[in-house]
Amino acid sequence: MEWIRSLMLPPQGSAFAGEVDLVYMALFWMSVVLFLGIAVCAIGFAWRYRYKPGRVTPHQTHNTMLEIVWSVIPLMLCVGIFFWGLNGWMKYAVAPGEAMEIQITAKKWLWQFEYPDGSRTANEIHVPVNKPVRFVMTSEDVLHDFFVPDMRVKHDIIPGRYTEVWFTPTVLGMHTITCAEYCGKGHSDMHAKLVVDNDADYQKFMETGGSEWEDYKMKPAEWGRLQYERKGCSTCHSIDGSRIASGGPSWKGIWGKMEKMNDGKEVLVNADYVRESMMQPQAKIVAGFDPIMPTFQGLLREHEIQGLIAFIKSLGNDLNGGPPAPTVLSLPPKPAPANQQQ
Amino acid sequence: MANTLTSQARTADHPRPAVNYLNAQKGIWSWLTTVDHKRIGIMYLVGVLSAFLMGGIFALFVRLTLLNPQHMLFGKVLMTAETYNRVFTLHGAIMVFLFIIPSVPAALGNFVLPLMLGAKDVAFPRLNLASFYFWVFGALLAITSMVVGAVDTGWTFYTPYSTTTQGSVGLMTMAVFILGFSSIFTGINFVATVHKLRAPGMGWFDMPLFVWGIYSTAIIQVLATPVLGITLVLLLLERVFSIGIFDPKLGGDPVLFQHFFWFYSHPAVYIMILPGMAIISELIPTFSRKTMFGYRAVAYSSVSLALLSFIVWGHHMFVAGQSQLATVIFSALTFLVAIPSGVKMFNWLGTMYNGNISLETPMLYAISFLLLFGIGGLTGIFLGTLSTDVHLTDTYFVVAHFHYVMMGGTVIAFIGGLHYWWPKMTGRMYTEKWAALGCVLVFIGFNMTFLTQFFLGSRGMPRRYYNYLDQYQPLHAFSTYGSWVLGAGLFLTAINLLMSLRKPMDAPDNPWGGTTLEWKTSSPPIEHNFEDQPVLDRAPYDYRPQPVAR
Amino acid sequence: MSTSTVDLHDQHEHGHDPHQQHHFATMEQQFDTSKIGMWLFLATEVLLFGGLFVGFGLMQSRYPQEFLEAHEHLQRPLGALNTVVLLISSFTMVMGVLSAQRSDRKKLVMYLVLTIICACIFLCVKYFEYSHKFEEHLLPPRWYHAQPGDTVRDAAGNVSHGYGTFFAFYFMMTGLHGIHILVGIFLLAWIAIRANRGEFSKAYYTPVDLVGLYWHLVDLIWIYLFPLYYLIK
């Protein structure tokens, strides 16, 4: 039966996923049985009692006992299912006291995470396996929703308020976080990565912010390309010269250009300008665009900023049109850690 | 299909009336100023079916855009995310407000209800015409809003997105507000008609079950729609004047909007399903040639559904930030509201048991309803159950669930009822084999489109998503193919019905052998419905060869 | 429920009252049905305002202190005057219906006119109240100006949004009510004109009765609004 479950439901990534799936599968089989019952009756009766001219049907207006039975039994079934669902839900609803707290700020259209020690990440989060983690969430603009299918948790994120969700991750590896409350143009691009690490990897992540860069030994522009996709830049900035509606200027060919701002001044697009645009996006607005870019202050590590700068530079400059944009990257297989222990 | 009730085509001794409601007055002005409930019903029918076509085209475009993750068709990107967001919003808004809510009550109900009661018209014929014109005005405003920027909020208009986004939210809000009046006036009319205009001898428990269903619906229309009205007014004030009640920066609460909105919109879904169920309660006894099993239970279940529908709105908000106590209470009440629907299902099947069943197209639709509404209702349990709802809400599972109950339920029943009363309304019989084929295609296409979406949802695909992860593509593609089959079936059905209008007007008074009063008059009826005031002489759905006199 | 059987061929011979519509068997059935229709419409009005009452209640429980302080700015004497005016108008309306039932055309018109005058006085008083609010910036949160008595403030000295929210609801509810009074004035004027033409008598006065029902509801809503806003401590 596990294969049926795995067809319908995502991998079980949290401690209570199993329980949720048990209820789901029970309801599923119950529904199959009841539906078959309805179908067999409806189609069976249509066949068995098919029209014969002159046949007189019995005048059965009601049968009180039968009607009571088929009202009371479903009612009892419903009461049972209600309590079973309530039971599972109560575990979801109340976080244990020792859960580590991570703060989420959702905004159109990216996820900002903040750890207890104050460090922040964007669109990616690492948590240690088998330890409960609690997310305290708020939005900076409209409604969003924190949904992690593998963990079987979901809750809306509301501006001006804090809402909570918690779980204990049990499976190592990458799980997807998606936004599940419609929030506009980038709603379906608002993904984040939840990486469940063993203790050693988690420690390393907290100290260094992740070693992907060193592991993969990418060139800065390639690394920047990865951040372009992961940190939400691609939602608003194209790299082929096209203009994304309600977004920002394309990055193609802007390096070294004298860009015109909305106050008439001209500014050179160099490393300082790009860095300022990420940290204080409202400081200078390119003419013809709206001041809607969120700040990435605290959300990008220094090597990520440098990667992005290098990537923009690689998209061509004003002088010679630049080399063609790099093709979509697929990451090479992860090399074994230098000090692997068994 | 001869029995003592079925009538043959009219004879020379008892000729078909030369003048009926269709040709009694001529010219477009006579239609535009009519107060005849039958003509108003026909005008509504044309209107809602046009809305259905428009909403359906938007749906086909939604599915086309989701055929592959790149949204490519013939090498070109079909539409951007912004356009997609508008297309799915308009699909929802048109279908809910312009089509489904008025469909059965205003198009079929208007036509059939007075006839079933043995009355000459509804209680307030001029109010009836006014209700139609409110529908037209609302529809025109909605179309205008589509043209001047359209709306990308989802049909639910959640704040703060709806109060801050660009687009013609104000116009669409006003359109829905106007449409609300149309619904309220229909409701007022039907409640008054059922109370005061029944034929002599027709007590409450002698009324057809279709009337009970429409009556229960009318109660909801009267009590729930004003709350939608005030919600839309608040939304408009918030958007135009920043009045502050939904904006957290001004001390407001965005979740308050959801409470207001769903307080109407949950009863609204019962406005949608109760009339559909009411049609099924006509079709099954008629085509089983057997009395309705559990008439009183079905009648009571309609009214209790109407009342219970007002106390479960929070089940749309289990993860929306309402209090935990409210969440638990709403889940419990939701299970309660499942029971009357189940009771109806059992009574319908009990009616078929030991019946004498023929499978003309209306009955094919009725059986389809049993299967499809069965799935829709059962999947509602997954959503009412708290632990599974957390995983399933806001995913395609919900989309599949509501399409099963709204389309697999109401629309299927509507089309079945349309075929059933077609000869009465038009005086013509459609071609049976094309109608049956249409039903089969609709059934297959519908399941292809929407059964798949349960699995998309349970596997984690959120709703209102333009982009999606590659792993969901096979299911999305299959669903899109299903939409083509569904569209073809609906198209075939529509063409078949329209083509029947070219045939001579030769339908019998009572082609199906029904026992309700509309079958006692000519097809189509004369202007004032009955030549002589009908008096009830048999209990409802009495198929005995010698019915017991009352 | 009527039991008389009507010969439906009687279309063009008016053997019945000219006001009786053809789908009704008797005038009594028509009148009773009209009243049911009107009561149903009044139910929709109750639910319309009900939503706002509920919203007010929720906001009051969120901002109890602010609502208490804000309501001190409402002008109780004017509110009380309006209450008396509306009560008088309901009385004159009842007298109008009574006059119609007695086929007393002159008195009917007089009472309808008196009702309209009361309604106009109500709206004038409302105008003065609203002007005062605008002058003092007692407005929804976006335009609200802090008042000396406002004690609920944040660290920076900004007033809580609760004050503005009170006035947002004040304007929405009294505004919606005022619109209903205005519509009522038009309805009353229409009825008065028809009454003056002699259209109503004890045989047929349904429109007077129905407008009367509407007017009583509008009065009743004010009876709830006034204490809720002006008097509750």
Side-chain angles (χ1 to χ4, degrees), chain A residues 36-250:
Chain A
L36 285 175
I38 295 171
V40 161
C41 285
I43 298 173
F45 293 168
W47 171 254
R48 168 90 176 73
Y49 302 109
R50 60 194 178 282
Y51 178 75
K52 284 191 179 58
R55 176 166 54 176
V56 175
T57 57
H59 191 68
Q60 283 167 340
T61 57
H62 63 286
N63 178 331
T64 312
M65 179 49 68
L66 182 60
E67 291 180 58
I68 291 178
V69 165
W70 73 32
S71 306
V72 168
I73 291 190
L75 183 64
M76 293 187 335
L77 202 58
C78 282
V79 169
I81 297 171
F82 164 71
F83 278 108
W84 197 13
L86 175 65
N87 189 283
W89 179 80
M90 292 210 307
K91 298 197 177 80
Y92 148 92
V94 184
E98 72 272 14
M100 169 176 67
E101 185 178 302
I102 294 180
Q103 297 199 3
I104 299 183
T105 304
K107 41 187 141 177
K108 292 193 268 191
W109 287 282
L110 66 99
W111 299 90
Q112 176 185 305
F113 300 97
E114 183 172 321
Y115 284 85
D117 68 356
S119 58
R120 291 183 178 187
T121 58
N123 286 352
E124 178 170 333
I125 186 171
H126 287 244
V127 292
V129 73
N130 291 329
K131 295 199 173 59
V133 59
R134 181 174 87 204
F135 295 91
V136 176
M137 321 186 281
T138 188
S139 163
E140 272 186 8
D141 40 39
V142 296
L143 294 176
H144 296 279
D145 186 294
F146 180 77
F147 176 35
V148 194
D150 290 355
M151 307 297 169
R152 311 290 189 272
V153 296
K154 180 189 287 114
H155 204 286
D156 275 8
I157 304 176
I158 305 168
R161 239 178 89 171
Y162 290 100
T163 51
E164 278 191 24
V165 98
W166 83 278
F167 55 86
T168 301
T170 51
V171 171
L172 296 171
M174 210 277 283
H175 305 271
T176 309
I177 298 170
T178 87
C179 177
E181 187 63 59
Y182 176 72
C183 53
K185 185 177 80 103
H187 173 52
S188 54
D189 298 318
M190 202 167 148
H191 296 291
K193 292 202 311 187
L194 176 86
V195 181
V196 180
D197 285 329
N198 59 37
D199 282 333
D201 286 336
Y202 178 70
Q203 282 308 318
K204 191 144 166 242
F205 173 78
M206 289 309 289
E207 279 155 23
T208 66
S211 60
E212 252 181 324
W213 190 43
E214 288 126 20
D215 283 346
Y216 290 117
K217 305 228 177 333
M218 286 178 170
K219 300 209 192 59
E222 285 174 337
W223 181 239
R225 168 69 191 242
L226 208 54
Q227 305 319 309
Y228 164 75
E229 270 151 23
R230 281 182 177 177
K231 301 298 186 200
C233 320
S234 58
T235 311
C236 297
H237 298 277
S238 79
I239 52 175
D240 62 2
S242 65
R243 174 163 176 165
I244 294 182
S246 313
S250 175

Side-chain angles (χ1 to χ4, degrees), chain B residues 302-376:
Chain B
S302 296
V303 177
S304 57
L305 277 175
L307 299 174
L308 285 171
S309 72
F310 279 92
I311 56 173
V312 297
W313 79 88
H315 69 219
H316 300 271
M317 296 168 61
F318 285 156
V319 299
Q322 68 185 355
S323 78
Q324 294 183 337
L325 179 63
T327 297
V328 172
I329 293 176
F330 278 122
S331 171
L333 291 171
T334 300
F335 278 99
L336 208 59
V337 86
I339 303 300
S341 299
V343 161
K344 282 187 200 265
M345 282 292 251
F346 297 135
N347 279 305
W348 289 321
L349 289 170
T351 305
M352 288 174 73
Y353 177 74
N354 262 329
N356 193 12
I357 302 171
S358 59
L359 292 177
E360 289 96 331
T361 299
M363 189 58 172
L364 290 178
Y365 276 101
I367 294 181
S368 302
F369 178 96
L370 294 176
L371 301 173
L372 299 177
F373 181 73
I375 295 177

Side-chain angles (χ1 to χ4, degrees), chain B residues 137-411:
Chain B
F137 186 39
L140 289 175
L141 270 180
I143 292 175
T144 309
S145 109
M146 279 182 237
V147 165
V148 298
V151 183
D152 71 335
T153 57
W155 82 276
T156 50
F157 296 111
Y158 278 9
T159 58
Y161 189 81
S162 59
T163 45
T164 54
T165 186
Q166 312 281 10
S168 51
V169 176
L171 265 179
M172 183 59 93
T173 305
M174 285 193 275
V176 177
F177 185 80
I178 304 279
L179 288 166
F181 278 107
S182 173
S183 192
I184 289 175
F185 290 160
T186 301
I188 290 178
N189 230 332
F190 286 169
V191 172
T193 306
V194 171
H195 276 270
K196 298 300 287 182
L197 288 178
R198 297 193 304 275
M202 189 187 280
W204 280 87
F205 292 104
D206 300 313
M207 297 194 311
L209 288 166
F210 180 73
V211 177
W212 275 101
I214 298 288
Y215 176 75
S216 308
T217 304
I219 292 179
I220 308 179
Q221 284 176 293
V222 168
L223 295 179
T225 316
V227 179
L228 177 72
I230 200 69
T231 306
L232 295 171
V233 166
L234 290 173
L235 179 63
L236 209 49
L237 288 175
E238 180 81 355
R239 199 172 152 83
V240 174
F241 293 114
S242 302
I243 204 122
I245 66 166
F246 301 132
D247 183 352
K249 297 198 201 62
L250 292 174
D253 180 3
V255 180
L256 183 62
F257 176 84
Q258 295 180 39
H259 281 290
F260 271 118
F261 178 83
W262 286 113
F263 188 83
Y264 163 75
S265 297
H266 187 80
V269 313
Y270 286 90
I271 296 178
M272 299 179 216
I273 193 61
L274 277 172
M277 291 170 158
I279 294 179
I280 302 302
S281 294
E282 293 300 317
L283 299 181
I284 292 201
T286 301
F287 290 93
S288 306
R289 294 165 186 74
K290 182 163 168 277
T291 194
M292 183 71 198
F293 187 88
Y295 170 97
R296 290 211 175 206
V298 175
Y300 286 135
S301 72
S302 296
V303 177
S304 57
L305 277 175
L307 299 174
L308 285 171
S309 72
F310 279 92
I311 56 173
V312 297
W313 79 88
H315 69 219
H316 300 271
M317 296 168 61
F318 285 156
V319 299
Q322 68 185 355
S323 78
Q324 294 183 337
L325 179 63
T327 297
V328 172
I329 293 176
F330 278 122
S331 171
L333 291 171
T334 300
F335 278 99
L336 208 59
V337 86
I339 303 300
S341 299
V343 161
K344 282 187 200 265
M345 282 292 251
F346 297 135
N347 279 305
W348 289 321
L349 289 170
T351 305
M352 288 174 73
Y353 177 74
N354 262 329
N356 193 12
I357 302 171
S358 59
L359 292 177
E360 289 96 331
T361 299
M363 189 58 172
L364 290 178
Y365 276 101
I367 294 181
S368 302
F369 178 96
L370 294 176
L371 301 173
L372 299 177
F373 181 73
I375 295 177
L378 288 167
T379 52
I381 297 181
F382 289 76
L383 296 168
T385 305
L386 288 171
S387 53
T388 45
D389 182 77
V390 170
H391 178 63
L392 296 171
T393 192
D394 282 321
T395 67
Y396 261 77
F397 192 94
V398 177
V399 176
H401 161 74
F402 66 66
H403 279 96
Y404 264 86
V405 285
M406 291 205 290
M407 186 170 196
T410 303
V411 178

Side-chain angles (χ1 to χ4, degrees), chain B residues 49 86 97 125 128 178 192 221 224 239 242 257 310 418 501 530:
Chain B
L49 287 177
R86 283 163 166 74
F97 294 114
N128 207 6
I178 304 279
Q221 284 176 293
R239 199 172 152 83
S242 302
F257 176 84
F310 279 92
L418 195 58
L501 297 176
F530 298 95

